[in-house]
Amino acid sequence: MRKEWIARVIVIFLLAAAIGIPAVGWWKRSQGIVIHARMAETGGWTPENLTVAVGQPLHLRLTSDDVTHSFAIGQSDQPAVEVKPGEMTEVTLTLDHPGKYTFYCTRWCSVNHWRMRGIIEVTGQQTTPEAVEPPLYILLGLDIDGDHDAEVVPAQMPSALRGAQFQNMVAAVYRSREYYQTHSPVELWQALRSEPASQPLADQDVWDLVAWIWQSNITPQELSVGQQLYTANCSACHGETGSGNGVFADLLAQPDTENHSVRQTGQMTIRPADFTDPVHILSASPAHLQGKLLRGGMGTGMPYWGPIFTEDQTWALIAYLWSFQFEMEKLP
Amino acid sequence: MKMIRWLQRAVQFSLPSLAVLALVVIFIPSPAAAAIPTDRTFHIEARRFEYAPATLTINPGDRVTLELTATDVVHGLSIDGYNLEVTADPGQTARLTFVASRQGSFRFRCTVTCGNMHPFMIGKLEVGRNTLLWKGITLLGLALAAGMWRLRK
Amino acid sequence: MSLPQEIPWLEKASSAERGAATRQDRAAPGRVNLLRISWLRPLLVSRWPQFLVRAVTLAGFVFAITAGLLGSQVGSHNFAIIFVWIAWWTALKLVFIPFGGRSWCSVCPIPLPGEWLQQGGILEKGRRFGLNLRWPKRLRNSWLQSNGFLLIGLFSALTLTDPRVTGWVLLALFALAIGLSLIFERRAFCSYICPIGGFTGIYARTAPVELRVLDNAICAAHIEKTCFQSCPWGLYPVAFRDSSACGLCMECLRACPKDNIAVNLRPFGSDLTQPGSRTRLDAAFLTLVMLGSAITFAAVFTGPWGSLKSAAFAIGSLAWLGYAVGFLALNLLALPGLFTLTVWVGHKLSGAKLPLRQMIAEQSQALLPLGLMAWIAFTVSFALPKLSYILGVVSDPFGWGRSLLGAAATRWSPDVSGFSSILQVILLFTGLLWAGRVIRQRSWPVLVFCLGYSLTMLWLLVG
């Protein structure tokens, strides 16, 4: 009978270990915050709302339940961290200002990838209330849903390099940052065309001049930042060459799929915008594009990037979009 | 008559001689490739849990460029027997260039966990003739012959 | 497969025991009684070594269920998926079955709690528990097991990759085994329900291990039949014609007062070429189901056809319905139909005077080595490339970000592709060669059937 009892004790001991060790691990794991990442279709972030006191370090342990995701905080310099399936990534955040921060996924994980967003609410006393200036497109009162086609388009792709030789013919008013942000290339072309100074120029020369003026408002750093942002965030739909044929374009174009939640409006296409199409793009001003970028929608699957990009990033991205219309290389 | 007696004796030792024959078939060197090496580019779309195209056919010595486009989630690609790896995010075509130095049929697999069936996301790279398959067919023919011989008796 | 009547290295191993050799040893040609090996005998006779292994497998099984239900939902980082479907499955197919027949059954944890309840104790018998009913006579065959395996095939893509599903399936098997132990007598679950037990049993006929009675006369004179009384499976060792039913639990030799039971090493495939061995139609069907499943799994898991994988995975969808219909048509119609046809043709040609049913059952024995080798070849390409996951889940069984073995463990990834495809070719060659030696009555059409099967597997695995 003693043997029997030894055997029973061994079995019970091993079973207790087989259940107990995972149970203790389970309990310990529930201390601290674990954020699970899933595709937006199957739940997105869990939990998706966090609260922390201002200045308090926030320890997060991130894991994915399906595919590769990534974690980043909108409008911040914090580098994104990879969130891999079945692995834990630890991050410690210290947020110094009260308010609502958006955290989001930076790796495309489905057509609804951009819906993977959550909120970190940082509570505390606002020491000095910062006056937040509304974005330019709001100040200008632009109707970003009202697109119109360009009345004129260049015969060939305008070149800033060629345009540089006519730069002396341009009045200073057209070269300001403010003019660039608030006018479309078509508007600039029409204004220049009606200037007596540029009468001797051919239409294409004026377009080259437009390209040069646009380029002079854009730094190479902006272009490179813009290209990175475009590749990571836009090319999945708008395509690597900007022609609106990204890998998700066909999904978005299918009417009545669950993949786009927005109704089709009028003749408006559901396909992502083609940045290489001058008729569509040259009639838009940077501020107009800013509105589309920040607010999204427009009856398409376009995400709203307002909570994600900083103002500089937005302008850099817009700067890069012009490279699909203008040849912008500088003189060697 | 002599021939038949010789054959009968051979059959008596059939198992060891079959084993030797089988080893010869497996390790006999395959004829070298005759095709002139060329540059080839394949555009591969990766989606859960398949590659399209899933079978790539090339000649030994070819310089191959794979352009991998992921169309739903992040995917990767590595080829059995080649120490190579590439990963592609949706919207960011990734490229991989290598020289197909080894002849035969190789599986390529996804390297980034992309869902349940990820471990079985597989494609095939066929470099020249699949000599192992032909050797296998020869061996099965041998086994068939051995079986037939036994059943005759 | 080489089938020498004597195995040289075994002869050598037993030569030390020659002095103690009894008349019974001479009665079994080409056999080596493991109980005559002095250091091995106590390991088999004592209940403790087996009990300790069983206690560990039981704990491991419960741990796998817990990991499946609580751990990461990502299969490659969950102990349940990797240990059950990669580690255990590989060990079963590559070691336990080909070299030990039903040896896994002797340490399998699933029926243990039920059995312990039945006999009222672990090592010693106490107050019995449960209804102890007899298993219905109509179900005393392997039809349920064949259907169980088909069911596994239908849902395999999900079960093999989803830790939660794996956890629930293991739990369900566990509950079923315990429940049946409480209702029916002995190992009803193992003998008639467990799908793993089903195919382990048929392939055990090819394995080089057997448990047999040394001298039938001694048993005939023994009135108490303690071996039968003590057998958890309800078997009587004197009646053994082949090794498919015996679970190698060793209880009979522990109970035998005359030391009249041998655990023999024997040449591979001894049961298949033995004249007296009989096969029933249900076993033939199970054999065919195993062939069909190997083809299906090789196509789904190692083939380049993404839509097939998606169809097998998307359970309940229209695509899956197509997969299910195809899978069932292959296993219920195509393979049995083709096999029956070849047997029938062979039957006509040889002019044998046996009923067709019996011919089918007998010729299906040739499919055992064929299927076994095909399964091993499939497992080589299914599991070997995934072996690197094993260290990873040992290091972090639940996918909770632990690192018990350090980061080095997760980076180990061997490339076995070159060697594994040559191995697969040799395995399939061996399978066909072996099958050719088992076919009876000069029925060469059956050999052609086997060739066709081997070519299909060859194309799927190395093509």
Side-chain angles (χ1 to χ4, degrees), chain A residues 1 3-4 7-8 11 14-15 18-19 22 25-26 29 61 64-65 85-88, chain C residues 48 51 55 59 62-63 66 70 72 74 77 116 120-124 398-401:
Chain A
M1 215 47 207
K3 277 204 249 167
E4 175 67 21
R8 288 184 185 187
V11 167
L14 284 175
L15 285 183
I19 297 172
W26 178 255
R29 205 177 67 111
R61 306 182 73 222
S64 161
D65 290 343
E87 292 176 31
M88 282 287 173
Chain C
W48 279 102
F51 163 72
V62 171
F63 189 74
T66 333
L70 296 183
S72 170
V74 181
H77 290 270
W116 293 338
I122 294 174
L123 297 177
E124 288 160 18
F398 292 80
W400 288 344

mmCIF file of all heavy atoms in Angstrom, chain A residues 1 3-4 7-8 11 14-15 18-19 22 25-26 29 61 64-65 85-88, chain C residues 48 51 55 59 62-63 66 70 72 74 77 116 120-124 398-401:
data_model
loop_
_atom_site.group_PDB
_atom_site.id
_atom_site.type_symbol
_atom_site.label_atom_id
_atom_site.label_comp_id
_atom_site.label_asym_id
_atom_site.label_seq_id
_atom_site.Cartn_x
_atom_site.Cartn_y
_atom_site.Cartn_z
ATOM 1 N N MET A 1 0.829 -1.209 0.000
ATOM 2 C CA MET A 1 0.000 0.000 0.000
ATOM 3 C C MET A 1 0.864 1.260 0.000
ATOM 4 O O MET A 1 0.474 2.295 -0.513
ATOM 5 C CB MET A 1 -0.903 -0.026 1.241
ATOM 6 C CG MET A 1 -2.288 0.568 1.016
ATOM 7 S SD MET A 1 -3.094 -0.014 -0.498
ATOM 8 C CE MET A 1 -4.154 1.361 -0.832
ATOM 9 N N LYS A 3 3.645 1.720 -1.668
ATOM 10 C CA LYS A 3 4.000 1.995 -3.066
ATOM 11 C C LYS A 3 2.879 2.768 -3.751
ATOM 12 O O LYS A 3 3.107 3.738 -4.466
ATOM 13 C CB LYS A 3 4.207 0.667 -3.810
ATOM 14 C CG LYS A 3 5.581 0.080 -3.622
ATOM 15 C CD LYS A 3 5.877 -0.836 -4.796
ATOM 16 C CE LYS A 3 5.906 -2.273 -4.394
ATOM 17 N NZ LYS A 3 5.884 -3.210 -5.495
ATOM 18 N N GLU A 4 1.653 2.306 -3.537
ATOM 19 C CA GLU A 4 0.500 2.946 -4.160
ATOM 20 C C GLU A 4 0.437 4.423 -3.778
ATOM 21 O O GLU A 4 0.197 5.292 -4.611
ATOM 22 C CB GLU A 4 -0.768 2.200 -3.734
ATOM 23 C CG GLU A 4 -2.064 2.812 -4.213
ATOM 24 C CD GLU A 4 -2.237 2.740 -5.722
ATOM 25 O OE1 GLU A 4 -1.590 1.899 -6.363
ATOM 26 O OE2 GLU A 4 -3.012 3.559 -6.259
ATOM 27 N N ALA A 7 3.083 6.444 -5.522
ATOM 28 C CA ALA A 7 2.685 6.679 -6.916
ATOM 29 C C ALA A 7 1.643 7.783 -6.992
ATOM 30 O O ALA A 7 1.735 8.681 -7.842
ATOM 31 C CB ALA A 7 2.137 5.386 -7.525
ATOM 32 N N ARG A 8 0.664 7.738 -6.097
ATOM 33 C CA ARG A 8 -0.383 8.774 -6.124
ATOM 34 C C ARG A 8 0.189 10.154 -5.858
ATOM 35 O O ARG A 8 -0.181 11.128 -6.511
ATOM 36 C CB ARG A 8 -1.471 8.449 -5.096
ATOM 37 C CG ARG A 8 -2.304 7.269 -5.535
ATOM 38 C CD ARG A 8 -3.430 6.984 -4.584
ATOM 39 N NE ARG A 8 -4.123 5.762 -5.001
ATOM 40 C CZ ARG A 8 -5.235 5.311 -4.450
ATOM 41 N NH1 ARG A 8 -5.782 5.966 -3.440
ATOM 42 N NH2 ARG A 8 -5.808 4.218 -4.886
ATOM 43 N N VAL A 11 1.944 11.378 -8.987
ATOM 44 C CA VAL A 11 1.001 11.825 -10.013
ATOM 45 C C VAL A 11 0.406 13.174 -9.641
ATOM 46 O O VAL A 11 0.363 14.108 -10.452
ATOM 47 C CB VAL A 11 -0.116 10.780 -10.211
ATOM 48 C CG1 VAL A 11 -1.258 11.364 -11.039
ATOM 49 C CG2 VAL A 11 0.440 9.538 -10.889
ATOM 50 N N LEU A 14 3.001 15.988 -9.990
ATOM 51 C CA LEU A 14 3.296 16.374 -11.379
ATOM 52 C C LEU A 14 2.113 17.103 -12.009
ATOM 53 O O LEU A 14 2.274 18.080 -12.734
ATOM 54 C CB LEU A 14 3.675 15.141 -12.205
ATOM 55 C CG LEU A 14 5.080 14.603 -11.951
ATOM 56 C CD1 LEU A 14 5.309 13.315 -12.732
ATOM 57 C CD2 LEU A 14 6.129 15.629 -12.342
ATOM 58 N N LEU A 15 0.893 16.610 -11.716
ATOM 59 C CA LEU A 15 -0.287 17.281 -12.275
ATOM 60 C C LEU A 15 -0.418 18.691 -11.722
ATOM 61 O O LEU A 15 -0.747 19.624 -12.447
ATOM 62 C CB LEU A 15 -1.548 16.467 -11.982
ATOM 63 C CG LEU A 15 -1.737 15.213 -12.831
ATOM 64 C CD1 LEU A 15 -3.048 14.538 -12.487
ATOM 65 C CD2 LEU A 15 -1.696 15.555 -14.314
ATOM 66 N N ALA A 18 1.923 20.772 -13.554
ATOM 67 C CA ALA A 18 1.507 21.009 -14.935
ATOM 68 C C ALA A 18 0.401 22.042 -15.015
ATOM 69 O O ALA A 18 0.277 22.764 -15.998
ATOM 70 C CB ALA A 18 1.058 19.703 -15.588
ATOM 71 N N ILE A 19 -0.429 22.118 -13.989
ATOM 72 C CA ILE A 19 -1.494 23.120 -14.000
ATOM 73 C C ILE A 19 -1.050 24.375 -13.264
ATOM 74 O O ILE A 19 -1.329 25.488 -13.686
ATOM 75 C CB ILE A 19 -2.790 22.543 -13.371
ATOM 76 C CG1 ILE A 19 -3.275 21.377 -14.223
ATOM 77 C CG2 ILE A 19 -3.867 23.610 -13.263
ATOM 78 C CD1 ILE A 19 -4.423 20.617 -13.611
ATOM 79 N N PRO A 22 1.611 27.036 -15.164
ATOM 80 C CA PRO A 22 0.942 27.950 -16.083
ATOM 81 C C PRO A 22 -0.004 28.915 -15.372
ATOM 82 O O PRO A 22 -0.093 30.085 -15.742
ATOM 83 C CB PRO A 22 0.156 27.025 -17.008
ATOM 84 C CG PRO A 22 0.803 25.712 -16.884
ATOM 85 C CD PRO A 22 1.362 25.634 -15.515
ATOM 86 N N GLY A 25 1.908 31.660 -13.881
ATOM 87 C CA GLY A 25 2.363 32.524 -14.973
ATOM 88 C C GLY A 25 1.234 33.396 -15.490
ATOM 89 O O GLY A 25 1.413 34.584 -15.748
ATOM 90 N N TRP A 26 0.071 32.807 -15.610
ATOM 91 C CA TRP A 26 -1.125 33.516 -16.074
ATOM 92 C C TRP A 26 -1.455 34.669 -15.142
ATOM 93 O O TRP A 26 -1.738 35.785 -15.562
ATOM 94 C CB TRP A 26 -2.267 32.508 -16.128
ATOM 95 C CG TRP A 26 -3.609 33.051 -16.532
ATOM 96 C CD1 TRP A 26 -4.661 33.289 -15.721
ATOM 97 C CD2 TRP A 26 -4.023 33.402 -17.839
ATOM 98 N NE1 TRP A 26 -5.719 33.771 -16.434
ATOM 99 C CE2 TRP A 26 -5.357 33.859 -17.747
ATOM 100 C CE3 TRP A 26 -3.393 33.394 -19.091
ATOM 101 C CZ2 TRP A 26 -6.081 34.284 -18.853
ATOM 102 C CZ3 TRP A 26 -4.124 33.827 -20.189
ATOM 103 C CH2 TRP A 26 -5.436 34.258 -20.068
ATOM 104 N N ARG A 29 1.163 37.379 -15.245
ATOM 105 C CA ARG A 29 1.105 38.103 -16.496
ATOM 106 C C ARG A 29 0.038 39.191 -16.452
ATOM 107 O O ARG A 29 0.141 40.218 -17.111
ATOM 108 C CB ARG A 29 0.775 37.131 -17.620
ATOM 109 C CG ARG A 29 1.237 37.543 -18.975
ATOM 110 C CD ARG A 29 0.903 36.446 -19.922
ATOM 111 N NE ARG A 29 -0.545 36.356 -20.049
ATOM 112 C CZ ARG A 29 -1.203 36.676 -21.152
ATOM 113 N NH1 ARG A 29 -0.545 37.066 -22.204
ATOM 114 N NH2 ARG A 29 -2.510 36.566 -21.217
ATOM 115 N N ARG A 61 3.587 45.883 -22.393
ATOM 116 C CA ARG A 61 4.113 44.671 -23.020
ATOM 117 C C ARG A 61 3.198 44.371 -24.196
ATOM 118 O O ARG A 61 1.987 44.247 -24.053
ATOM 119 C CB ARG A 61 4.132 43.525 -22.016
ATOM 120 C CG ARG A 61 4.886 43.893 -20.748
ATOM 121 C CD ARG A 61 4.962 42.752 -19.765
ATOM 122 N NE ARG A 61 5.894 41.745 -20.213
ATOM 123 C CZ ARG A 61 5.660 40.430 -20.119
ATOM 124 N NH1 ARG A 61 4.521 40.001 -19.626
ATOM 125 N NH2 ARG A 61 6.552 39.567 -20.528
ATOM 126 N N SER A 64 1.492 40.179 -30.551
ATOM 127 C CA SER A 64 0.513 40.030 -31.618
ATOM 128 C C SER A 64 -0.082 38.639 -31.577
ATOM 129 O O SER A 64 0.607 37.671 -31.266
ATOM 130 C CB SER A 64 1.182 40.270 -32.977
ATOM 131 O OG SER A 64 0.373 39.722 -33.993
ATOM 132 N N ASP A 65 -1.372 38.551 -31.860
ATOM 133 C CA ASP A 65 -2.042 37.246 -31.890
ATOM 134 C C ASP A 65 -2.149 36.692 -33.299
ATOM 135 O O ASP A 65 -2.617 35.581 -33.484
ATOM 136 C CB ASP A 65 -3.443 37.351 -31.291
ATOM 137 C CG ASP A 65 -3.380 37.568 -29.789
ATOM 138 O OD1 ASP A 65 -2.309 37.314 -29.210
ATOM 139 O OD2 ASP A 65 -4.385 38.012 -29.210
ATOM 140 N N PRO A 85 4.146 38.175 -33.763
ATOM 141 C CA PRO A 85 3.257 37.120 -33.271
ATOM 142 C C PRO A 85 3.961 36.231 -32.253
ATOM 143 O O PRO A 85 5.067 35.747 -32.506
ATOM 144 C CB PRO A 85 2.921 36.310 -34.526
ATOM 145 C CG PRO A 85 3.234 37.202 -35.664
ATOM 146 C CD PRO A 85 4.306 38.108 -35.215
ATOM 147 N N GLY A 86 3.321 36.032 -31.112
ATOM 148 C CA GLY A 86 3.846 35.110 -30.112
ATOM 149 C C GLY A 86 5.077 35.605 -29.392
ATOM 150 O O GLY A 86 5.675 34.861 -28.630
ATOM 151 N N GLU A 87 5.487 36.850 -29.634
ATOM 152 C CA GLU A 87 6.642 37.371 -28.914
ATOM 153 C C GLU A 87 6.223 38.626 -28.162
ATOM 154 O O GLU A 87 5.242 39.261 -28.495
ATOM 155 C CB GLU A 87 7.790 37.687 -29.894
ATOM 156 C CG GLU A 87 8.365 36.435 -30.523
ATOM 157 C CD GLU A 87 9.440 36.728 -31.565
ATOM 158 O OE1 GLU A 87 10.140 37.747 -31.405
ATOM 159 O OE2 GLU A 87 9.558 35.954 -32.512
ATOM 160 N N MET A 88 6.990 38.962 -27.125
ATOM 161 C CA MET A 88 6.655 40.132 -26.303
ATOM 162 C C MET A 88 7.642 41.254 -26.596
ATOM 163 O O MET A 88 8.844 41.031 -26.604
ATOM 164 C CB MET A 88 6.757 39.777 -24.824
ATOM 165 C CG MET A 88 5.583 39.002 -24.292
ATOM 166 S SD MET A 88 4.128 40.045 -24.133
ATOM 167 C CE MET A 88 2.941 38.778 -23.695
ATOM 168 N N TRP C 48 7.493 0.252 -11.917
ATOM 169 C CA TRP C 48 7.949 1.614 -11.638
ATOM 170 C C TRP C 48 8.485 2.382 -12.844
ATOM 171 O O TRP C 48 8.065 3.527 -13.058
ATOM 172 C CB TRP C 48 8.995 1.608 -10.510
ATOM 173 C CG TRP C 48 8.319 1.536 -9.184
ATOM 174 C CD1 TRP C 48 8.185 0.427 -8.408
ATOM 175 C CD2 TRP C 48 7.648 2.596 -8.500
ATOM 176 N NE1 TRP C 48 7.466 0.720 -7.279
ATOM 177 C CE2 TRP C 48 7.125 2.047 -7.303
ATOM 178 C CE3 TRP C 48 7.423 3.931 -8.777
ATOM 179 C CZ2 TRP C 48 6.411 2.809 -6.391
ATOM 180 C CZ3 TRP C 48 6.706 4.688 -7.860
ATOM 181 C CH2 TRP C 48 6.198 4.116 -6.678
ATOM 182 N N PHE C 51 5.654 3.350 -14.888
ATOM 183 C CA PHE C 51 4.808 4.315 -14.186
ATOM 184 C C PHE C 51 5.417 5.709 -14.230
ATOM 185 O O PHE C 51 4.716 6.696 -14.459
ATOM 186 C CB PHE C 51 4.590 3.893 -12.730
ATOM 187 C CG PHE C 51 4.081 5.030 -11.889
ATOM 188 C CD1 PHE C 51 2.778 5.475 -12.047
ATOM 189 C CD2 PHE C 51 4.906 5.690 -11.000
ATOM 190 C CE1 PHE C 51 2.312 6.553 -11.317
ATOM 191 C CE2 PHE C 51 4.457 6.764 -10.265
ATOM 192 C CZ PHE C 51 3.141 7.194 -10.421
ATOM 193 N N ALA C 55 3.709 8.918 -15.725
ATOM 194 C CA ALA C 55 3.418 10.109 -14.917
ATOM 195 C C ALA C 55 3.913 11.356 -15.629
ATOM 196 O O ALA C 55 3.238 12.388 -15.644
ATOM 197 C CB ALA C 55 4.067 9.975 -13.534
ATOM 198 N N ALA C 59 1.612 14.373 -17.118
ATOM 199 C CA ALA C 59 1.816 15.781 -16.760
ATOM 200 C C ALA C 59 2.046 16.613 -18.012
ATOM 201 O O ALA C 59 1.504 17.720 -18.151
ATOM 202 C CB ALA C 59 2.995 15.909 -15.805
ATOM 203 N N VAL C 62 -1.305 17.189 -19.745
ATOM 204 C CA VAL C 62 -2.105 18.214 -19.062
ATOM 205 C C VAL C 62 -1.493 19.593 -19.302
ATOM 206 O O VAL C 62 -2.204 20.579 -19.540
ATOM 207 C CB VAL C 62 -2.203 17.887 -17.558
ATOM 208 C CG1 VAL C 62 -2.839 19.039 -16.801
ATOM 209 C CG2 VAL C 62 -3.014 16.618 -17.359
ATOM 210 N N PHE C 63 -0.157 19.642 -19.278
ATOM 211 C CA PHE C 63 0.531 20.914 -19.538
ATOM 212 C C PHE C 63 0.199 21.402 -20.951
ATOM 213 O O PHE C 63 -0.044 22.596 -21.166
ATOM 214 C CB PHE C 63 2.038 20.712 -19.379
ATOM 215 C CG PHE C 63 2.829 21.979 -19.422
ATOM 216 C CD1 PHE C 63 2.832 22.851 -18.354
ATOM 217 C CD2 PHE C 63 3.585 22.298 -20.539
ATOM 218 C CE1 PHE C 63 3.562 24.021 -18.389
ATOM 219 C CE2 PHE C 63 4.317 23.472 -20.595
ATOM 220 C CZ PHE C 63 4.313 24.332 -19.508
ATOM 221 N N THR C 66 -3.233 22.891 -20.951
ATOM 222 C CA THR C 66 -3.209 24.225 -20.331
ATOM 223 C C THR C 66 -2.582 25.245 -21.277
ATOM 224 O O THR C 66 -3.098 26.349 -21.436
ATOM 225 C CB THR C 66 -2.400 24.196 -19.027
ATOM 226 O OG1 THR C 66 -2.442 22.888 -18.484
ATOM 227 C CG2 THR C 66 -2.934 25.175 -18.035
ATOM 228 N N LEU C 70 -4.502 28.471 -22.521
ATOM 229 C CA LEU C 70 -4.134 29.751 -21.909
ATOM 230 C C LEU C 70 -3.039 30.488 -22.673
ATOM 231 O O LEU C 70 -2.924 31.702 -22.578
ATOM 232 C CB LEU C 70 -3.632 29.540 -20.471
ATOM 233 C CG LEU C 70 -4.609 28.983 -19.445
ATOM 234 C CD1 LEU C 70 -3.941 28.911 -18.081
ATOM 235 C CD2 LEU C 70 -5.844 29.852 -19.373
ATOM 236 N N SER C 72 -0.246 31.591 -25.885
ATOM 237 C CA SER C 72 -0.348 32.433 -27.076
ATOM 238 C C SER C 72 -1.215 31.761 -28.134
ATOM 239 O O SER C 72 -1.231 30.546 -28.273
ATOM 240 C CB SER C 72 1.042 32.671 -27.645
ATOM 241 O OG SER C 72 0.950 33.272 -28.911
ATOM 242 N N VAL C 74 -0.673 32.091 -31.131
ATOM 243 C CA VAL C 74 0.174 31.865 -32.298
ATOM 244 C C VAL C 74 0.793 30.477 -32.169
ATOM 245 O O VAL C 74 1.571 30.217 -31.255
ATOM 246 C CB VAL C 74 1.262 32.944 -32.385
ATOM 247 C CG1 VAL C 74 2.127 32.717 -33.608
ATOM 248 C CG2 VAL C 74 0.622 34.310 -32.410
ATOM 249 N N HIS C 77 4.427 29.508 -31.387
ATOM 250 C CA HIS C 77 4.946 29.912 -30.098
ATOM 251 C C HIS C 77 4.160 29.285 -28.955
ATOM 252 O O HIS C 77 4.155 29.795 -27.853
ATOM 253 C CB HIS C 77 4.933 31.438 -29.958
ATOM 254 C CG HIS C 77 5.943 32.093 -30.833
ATOM 255 N ND1 HIS C 77 7.228 32.350 -30.424
ATOM 256 C CD2 HIS C 77 5.883 32.507 -32.112
ATOM 257 C CE1 HIS C 77 7.906 32.910 -31.410
ATOM 258 N NE2 HIS C 77 7.110 33.021 -32.443
ATOM 259 N N TRP C 116 -7.017 4.012 -14.013
ATOM 260 C CA TRP C 116 -6.763 4.013 -12.567
ATOM 261 C C TRP C 116 -8.069 4.008 -11.780
ATOM 262 O O TRP C 116 -8.183 3.382 -10.734
ATOM 263 C CB TRP C 116 -5.896 5.217 -12.182
ATOM 264 C CG TRP C 116 -4.498 5.106 -12.748
ATOM 265 C CD1 TRP C 116 -3.865 3.973 -13.129
ATOM 266 C CD2 TRP C 116 -3.574 6.180 -12.982
ATOM 267 N NE1 TRP C 116 -2.612 4.259 -13.598
ATOM 268 C CE2 TRP C 116 -2.394 5.597 -13.523
ATOM 269 C CE3 TRP C 116 -3.615 7.560 -12.804
ATOM 270 C CZ2 TRP C 116 -1.272 6.358 -13.870
ATOM 271 C CZ3 TRP C 116 -2.499 8.321 -13.151
ATOM 272 C CH2 TRP C 116 -1.349 7.717 -13.677
ATOM 273 N N GLY C 120 -9.209 1.105 -9.429
ATOM 274 C CA GLY C 120 -9.161 1.580 -8.048
ATOM 275 C C GLY C 120 -7.759 1.755 -7.509
ATOM 276 O O GLY C 120 -7.527 1.635 -6.310
ATOM 277 N N GLY C 121 -6.813 2.010 -8.365
ATOM 278 C CA GLY C 121 -5.448 2.245 -7.891
ATOM 279 C C GLY C 121 -4.516 2.413 -9.057
ATOM 280 O O GLY C 121 -4.878 2.113 -10.200
ATOM 281 N N ILE C 122 -3.307 2.906 -8.768
ATOM 282 C CA ILE C 122 -2.344 3.149 -9.838
ATOM 283 C C ILE C 122 -1.474 1.922 -10.049
ATOM 284 O O ILE C 122 -1.384 1.381 -11.144
ATOM 285 C CB ILE C 122 -1.496 4.389 -9.513
ATOM 286 C CG1 ILE C 122 -2.393 5.633 -9.525
ATOM 287 C CG2 ILE C 122 -0.374 4.547 -10.527
ATOM 288 C CD1 ILE C 122 -1.709 6.900 -9.084
ATOM 289 N N LEU C 123 -0.822 1.491 -8.987
ATOM 290 C CA LEU C 123 0.048 0.326 -9.094
ATOM 291 C C LEU C 123 -0.634 -0.928 -8.556
ATOM 292 O O LEU C 123 -0.332 -2.035 -8.969
ATOM 293 C CB LEU C 123 1.352 0.560 -8.334
ATOM 294 C CG LEU C 123 2.218 1.708 -8.858
ATOM 295 C CD1 LEU C 123 3.443 1.880 -7.990
ATOM 296 C CD2 LEU C 123 2.626 1.466 -10.297
ATOM 297 N N GLU C 124 -1.526 -0.718 -7.599
ATOM 298 C CA GLU C 124 -2.211 -1.862 -7.002
ATOM 299 C C GLU C 124 -3.699 -1.700 -7.207
ATOM 300 O O GLU C 124 -4.204 -0.590 -7.335
ATOM 301 C CB GLU C 124 -1.900 -1.921 -5.495
ATOM 302 C CG GLU C 124 -0.471 -2.348 -5.230
ATOM 303 C CD GLU C 124 -0.003 -1.961 -3.836
ATOM 304 O OE1 GLU C 124 -0.855 -1.680 -2.986
ATOM 305 O OE2 GLU C 124 1.224 -1.926 -3.642
ATOM 306 N N PHE C 398 4.454 29.309 -23.406
ATOM 307 C CA PHE C 398 3.137 29.927 -23.567
ATOM 308 C C PHE C 398 3.168 31.141 -24.484
ATOM 309 O O PHE C 398 2.161 31.784 -24.680
ATOM 310 C CB PHE C 398 2.567 30.345 -22.211
ATOM 311 C CG PHE C 398 2.224 29.162 -21.351
ATOM 312 C CD1 PHE C 398 3.194 28.494 -20.639
ATOM 313 C CD2 PHE C 398 0.925 28.713 -21.283
ATOM 314 C CE1 PHE C 398 2.873 27.401 -19.861
ATOM 315 C CE2 PHE C 398 0.597 27.617 -20.515
ATOM 316 C CZ PHE C 398 1.563 26.955 -19.800
ATOM 317 N N GLY C 399 4.357 31.473 -25.005
ATOM 318 C CA GLY C 399 4.437 32.683 -25.815
ATOM 319 C C GLY C 399 4.170 33.926 -24.991
ATOM 320 O O GLY C 399 3.534 34.860 -25.452
ATOM 321 N N TRP C 400 4.664 33.932 -23.741
ATOM 322 C CA TRP C 400 4.437 35.082 -22.868
ATOM 323 C C TRP C 400 5.706 35.921 -22.732
ATOM 324 O O TRP C 400 5.859 36.690 -21.784
ATOM 325 C CB TRP C 400 4.002 34.614 -21.472
ATOM 326 C CG TRP C 400 2.598 34.077 -21.454
ATOM 327 C CD1 TRP C 400 1.646 34.245 -22.416
ATOM 328 C CD2 TRP C 400 1.984 33.293 -20.421
ATOM 329 N NE1 TRP C 400 0.485 33.611 -22.057
ATOM 330 C CE2 TRP C 400 0.661 33.021 -20.829
ATOM 331 C CE3 TRP C 400 2.427 32.811 -19.193
ATOM 332 C CZ2 TRP C 400 -0.213 32.278 -20.047
ATOM 333 C CZ3 TRP C 400 1.550 32.073 -18.429
ATOM 334 C CH2 TRP C 400 0.239 31.811 -18.846
ATOM 335 N N GLY C 401 6.657 35.709 -23.620
ATOM 336 C CA GLY C 401 7.856 36.537 -23.580
ATOM 337 C C GLY C 401 8.887 36.067 -22.574
ATOM 338 O O GLY C 401 9.812 36.790 -22.261
#
